[in-house]
Amino acid sequence: MEHQQEATRAWVLHPDLKSEQSARAPARALEEAVSLAAALPHLEVVGADVVRIAKPHPGHLFGTGKMDELKAVFAAEEVDLVLVDGPVTPVQQRNLEKAWGVKLLDRTGLILEIFSDRARTREGVLQVDMAALSYQRTRLVRAWTHLERQRGGLGFVGGPGETQIEADRRAIDEQLVRIRKQLSKVVKTRELHRAARAKIPFPIVALVGYTNAGKSTLFNRLTGADVLVKDMLFATLDPTMRRIQLPEGGPEVILSDTVGFISDLPTELVAAFRATLEEVLGANLILHVRDISHPETGEQARNVHQILNDLKLDESIPMLEVWNKIDLLPDDEREATVTRAARAEGIHAISAVSGEGISGLLEAIAEKLELAKHATTLSLPFSDGRKRAWLFAQEVVEAERQTEEGFELDLLWTNRQEKRFREL
């Protein structure tokens, strides 16, 4: 008989700082934090609270009265893990764990745990390891007496020896160097794949959006693929790509599904997942998928744009906004939303589940790609001087190399220009 792992009993706290004017309602933020916790396996959320804080205590975040009150609750509910939806300093974490007798994770720690559980590809695993080590390095504090002790050997290496904390930090730095080397190899391989794809004139259409906006459902609807779909934050982590033919003689494109974004994404992860999101940075068209039925859909959209800015997304890449999950809206609201989207430029209201609005979206993708540019490497014999002159006149030549047979040209052009060239 298989041994079943006992669920960890967790309690979620959202600190509501009076000094911070957040655009998000504390109750909604707590709801999202509970959904984050639910995304971890073997974890049972037994309770959740919004805790008002006038001023965060430097040593233990909450006031002593609140700490005692929560300690009694955690003891009564047999809580093993407390999740604090916000930043907690290493000192605060240590003091709270000691006072409550439980394990504590802050928002960054929780998101790292989820990513660690979900990462499937070699690159995904390495990215998470690197982010986790960077996070861990900042949390090395003088927690126990052995950290004060000098741990030097016989003096052969020179110096009086190092403290335990220095040794731990050095060990983490060595691991980070090792992971960066492994990662650079993986990235090189992916760059080769991307270079090979660039020679095949398939434009890339990347799906981005807040986590749980329905990107994977839309991806499956458009490609017939079977990507994991769950009503869960971060159900998809590693980017998935499929080739699809747009209807009515439209171009073939590569569709890329990416990791969902989230507010207050840990800085370690923005840096670590930059490589994973390079497919977005190199896309010919971006589909920003929004859960239009969510009460904070506007705030989520702002978070997505903020992260795209942090990733230094080229502003010239065209973007379509996809208002997904209209099937979840009440009828009157649904009609108003569809009408509003139809009147706006570059917005499409759809349901990835029912298929409503999908054909209009596909037409818009084909139309946008006609104007979007993609890279191609082309070989021309010396005898094709007219074609070569046409390419230079169109200003689509990025680089040119002379070969024994003729010219090799790196081009950046639209589908329309490519079509006209083929007809020359």
Side-chain angles (χ1 to χ4, degrees):
M1 201 175 98
E2 216 176 280
H3 176 67
Q4 280 223 314
Q5 190 177 334
E6 207 174 302
T8 301
R9 293 172 66 80
W11 197 282
V12 181
L13 298 176
H14 173 75
D16 180 24
L17 297 173
K18 290 178 189 171
S19 55
E20 277 184 18
Q21 283 302 308
S22 172
R24 309 187 66 207
R28 295 266 176 234
L30 181 68
E31 200 179 295
E32 183 183 273
V34 170
S35 300
L36 271 175
L40 267 183
H42 312 302
L43 197 103
E44 183 194 352
V45 179
V46 293
D49 288 304
V50 171
V51 183
R52 293 299 303 272
I53 301 176
K55 192 179 171 194
H57 189 287
H60 33 72
L61 187 62
F62 307 106
T64 47
K66 194 62 180 174
M67 277 173 65
D68 293 342
E69 185 190 314
L70 288 167
K71 182 177 181 172
V73 172
F74 299 154
E77 294 290 339
E78 296 178 349
V79 170
D80 310 300
L81 173 68
V82 173
L83 301 165
V84 178
D85 181 37
V88 180
T89 68
V91 172
Q92 289 169 343
Q93 180 178 350
R94 190 184 78 230
N95 290 341
L96 288 171
E97 284 183 341
K98 208 169 167 187
W100 290 337
V102 296
K103 177 93 182 88
L104 186 138
L105 272 182
D106 68 355
R107 185 180 174 89
T108 301
L110 173 60
I111 293 174
L112 284 169
E113 282 287 336
I114 297 167
F115 275 46
S116 176
D117 178 63
R118 294 290 157 71
R120 291 287 172 270
T121 63
R122 173 94 177 114
E123 182 181 14
V125 171
L126 288 170
Q127 296 281 16
V128 174
D129 284 350
M130 191 162 88
L133 283 168
S134 304
Y135 171 71
Q136 208 176 313
R137 192 184 188 283
T138 64
R139 306 192 84 72
L140 290 177
V141 290
R142 297 181 182 278
W144 300 277
T145 50
H146 81 269
L147 295 187
E148 307 293 340
R149 205 168 61 229
Q150 295 291 305
R151 197 185 65 167
L154 300 166
F156 296 134
V157 182
E162 58 191 339
T163 59
Q164 181 69 44
I165 197 165
E166 286 163 352
D168 291 348
R169 193 163 282 151
R170 194 166 46 79
I172 286 178
D173 288 342
E174 283 166 7
Q175 274 179 282
L176 280 168
V177 168
R178 205 161 48 244
I179 288 175
R180 281 196 189 100
K181 277 182 188 162
Q182 291 173 294
L183 202 51
S184 67
K185 284 180 191 167
V186 178
V187 169
K188 270 185 196 141
T189 308
R190 195 159 38 74
E191 278 169 359
L192 290 173
H193 290 165
R194 191 180 294 124
R197 274 204 305 276
K199 290 184 181 177
I200 308 164
F202 293 144
I204 291 176
V205 177
L207 301 176
V208 302
Y210 206 80
T211 184
N212 215 23
K215 293 184 306 304
S216 296
T217 308
L218 178 59
F219 183 84
N220 290 350
R221 163 74 63 177
L222 297 179
T223 63
D226 191 21
V227 172
L228 172 72
V229 173
K230 276 191 175 181
D231 182 19
M232 178 195 276
L233 301 187
F234 298 123
T236 314
L237 249 200
D238 296 306
T240 316
M241 307 186 93
R242 291 281 187 285
R243 205 167 93 188
I244 63 164
Q245 173 78 52
L246 292 177
E248 293 172 27
E252 268 193 275
V253 303
I254 291 172
L255 196 67
S256 171
D257 185 17
T258 60
V259 59
F261 296 174
I262 196 161
S263 65
D264 307 320
L265 186 71
T267 47
E268 292 91 350
L269 282 178
V270 173
F273 278 82
R274 186 184 164 83
T276 312
L277 293 166
E278 269 173 11
E279 299 303 347
V280 176
L281 302 177
N284 301 85
L285 174 65
I286 289 172
L287 300 186
H288 174 192
V289 183
R290 287 175 57 180
D291 174 359
I292 207 67
S293 71
H294 196 282
E296 291 192 330
T297 182
E299 182 60 24
Q300 291 183 350
R302 280 188 286 278
N303 279 311
V304 169
H305 285 293
Q306 182 56 54
I307 293 172
L308 289 174
N309 285 339
D310 291 346
L311 290 167
K312 310 235 178 331
L313 178 75
D314 183 349
E315 286 176 17
S316 66
I317 299 174
M319 187 184 290
L320 289 175
E321 201 166 281
V322 181
W323 290 0
N324 190 24
K325 303 194 185 184
I326 54 171
D327 52 303
L328 298 182
L329 294 170
D331 287 349
D332 54 339
E333 207 179 312
R334 196 182 130 279
E335 277 176 40
T337 302
V338 171
T339 306
R340 209 162 87 239
R343 285 184 185 146
E345 179 71 30
I347 295 177
H348 295 268
I350 67 149
S351 164
V353 170
S354 72
E356 185 182 349
I358 294 289
S359 57
L361 175 63
L362 287 171
E363 280 170 30
I365 291 171
E367 205 174 291
K368 277 279 182 197
L369 288 174
E370 277 301 308
L371 304 169
K373 294 182 177 183
H374 61 272
T376 311
T377 300
L378 190 75
S379 293
L380 285 179
F382 288 118
S383 56
D384 262 347
R386 194 169 67 88
K387 284 187 176 179
R388 180 172 167 269
W390 184 89
L391 290 169
F392 276 99
Q394 290 288 312
E395 297 181 347
V396 296
V397 180
E398 296 279 290
E400 181 186 48
R401 294 168 294 280
Q402 197 165 325
T403 64
E404 287 178 16
E405 290 82 30
F407 300 99
E408 193 175 67
L409 301 106
D410 293 335
L411 310 175
L412 191 66
W413 54 3
T414 64
N415 285 353
R416 199 171 287 159
Q417 285 171 319
E418 183 178 7
K419 194 166 177 252
R420 280 171 60 202
F421 172 79
R422 305 284 179 208
E423 289 165 356
L424 282 177

